[in-house]
Amino acid sequence: NAGVMQNPRHLVRRRGQEARLRCSPMKGHSHVYWYRQLPEEGLKFMVYLQKENIIDESGMPKERFSAEFPKEGPSILRIQQVVRGDSAAYFCASSLAQGAYEQYFGPGTRLTVT
Amino acid sequence: QQQVKQSPQSLIVQKGGISIINCAYENTAFDYFPWYQQFPGKGPALLIAIRPDVSEKKEGRFTISFNKSAKQFSLHIMDSQPGDSATYFCAANNNNDMRFGAGTRLTVKP
């Protein structure tokens, strides 16, 4: 029973490039959440998605960040024109359904912007 | 606005001792309170969780104590082991809106 999968595990981008992070939820899970973690800090909620729908994006910056969870394939968090402040660990979590509160996390993608 | 406050920021405990981490929340709409354990370079792993209709939940060496009126909950790790050394996050959830504490770095000395 595979857990939440994220790739790549490490991503290096130069300022101004695009970063694309992928998340495959646990089998049977249809709800995906993205979080950002800065060094020595907690997890900050970014966005909550179901298949083909963004449910809550209140934690996501209004510019340069976007997320999707298509009918087929992984959820993708896209960061356009990255800046050094975007360097962080990005974690994806999934849950079985709304109201099933257990969220299971992936190993994260560590983004470094040079 | 920090909705979940966690303390202490770091904690050092001797092997065999009790580790206690505290959290306080503000929003009374929260109705699910999980604790996550995170090792360096890894994702957070769900450790134990409680709902506000009970005051305590125990799983092995891990116990959550919950005080609804005070809006506080805590994690107790009994017989702490060096392998428990990790960062622990409390969280509070309402309808899939989950807010995390800032984390406690636990070190268990052998």
Side-chain angles (χ1 to χ4, degrees):
Chain A
N1 184 17
V4 178
M5 299 176 67
Q6 289 187 249
N7 67 81
R9 295 292 310 277
H10 300 274
L11 182 62
V12 179
R13 285 286 178 266
R14 291 199 178 108
R15 280 179 297 171
Q17 291 184 319
E18 178 180 286
R20 193 171 294 205
L21 289 60
R22 295 175 183 78
C23 168
S24 296
M26 285 180 70
K27 186 177 182 179
H29 286 194
S30 58
H31 297 243
V32 165
Y33 315 79
W34 285 94
Y35 295 86
R36 177 163 63 177
Q37 185 177 39
L38 294 171
E40 308 300 321
E41 292 190 13
L43 294 129
K44 296 292 192 291
F45 167 79
M46 298 182 73
V47 61
Y48 162 39
L49 310 103
Q50 295 178 29
K51 286 282 187 181
E52 300 185 278
N53 284 306
I54 296 175
I55 306 302
D56 181 356
E57 56 183 346
S58 59
M60 202 149 71
K62 294 288 187 285
E63 297 178 353
R64 303 188 298 107
F65 286 73
S66 63
E68 62 178 9
F69 189 15
K71 186 176 180 181
E72 301 292 337
S75 175
I76 295 175
L77 178 68
R78 182 184 297 132
I79 311 172
Q80 296 177 302
Q81 299 175 336
V82 296
V83 301
R84 288 218 172 108
D86 297 332
S87 295
Y90 292 83
F91 290 97
C92 165
S94 73
S95 67
L96 186 59
Q98 186 171 13
Y101 295 137
E102 288 79 8
Q103 293 187 18
Y104 297 91
F105 282 80
T109 294
R110 278 147 186 87
L111 172 66
T112 302
V113 180
T114 60
Chain B
Q1 181 185 6
Q2 188 179 2
Q3 295 200 34
V4 180
K5 295 183 180 180
Q6 183 172 346
S7 63
Q9 190 173 13
S10 62
L11 179 62
I12 300 174
V13 173
Q14 289 294 130
K15 179 183 176 181
I18 302 174
S19 303
I20 301 174
I21 304 171
N22 301 299
C23 282
Y25 63 97
E26 299 170 358
N27 186 351
T28 55
F30 290 134
D31 60 359
Y32 174 72
F33 303 88
W35 284 88
Y36 285 85
Q37 179 189 56
Q38 185 178 29
F39 293 104
K42 305 292 185 183
L46 180 62
L47 193 61
I48 187 173
I50 197 169
R51 296 188 188 275
D53 53 345
V54 297
S55 60
E56 185 174 282
K57 183 174 182 180
K58 184 176 180 179
E59 289 184 3
R61 296 185 294 108
F62 300 92
T63 299
I64 299 178
S65 297
F66 187 82
N67 186 330
K68 187 174 181 178
S69 61
K71 293 188 286 186
Q72 295 176 347
F73 58 110
S74 59
L75 176 69
H76 296 233
I77 306 175
M78 311 299 287
D79 187 26
S80 299
Q81 300 296 313
D84 296 332
S85 297
T87 300
Y88 292 81
F89 294 96
C90 63
N93 192 326
N94 169 40
N95 197 28
N96 289 305
D97 178 13
M98 187 136 76
R99 307 288 168 163
F100 285 83
T104 296
R105 179 175 289 182
L106 171 66
T107 302
V108 181
K109 291 192 173 295

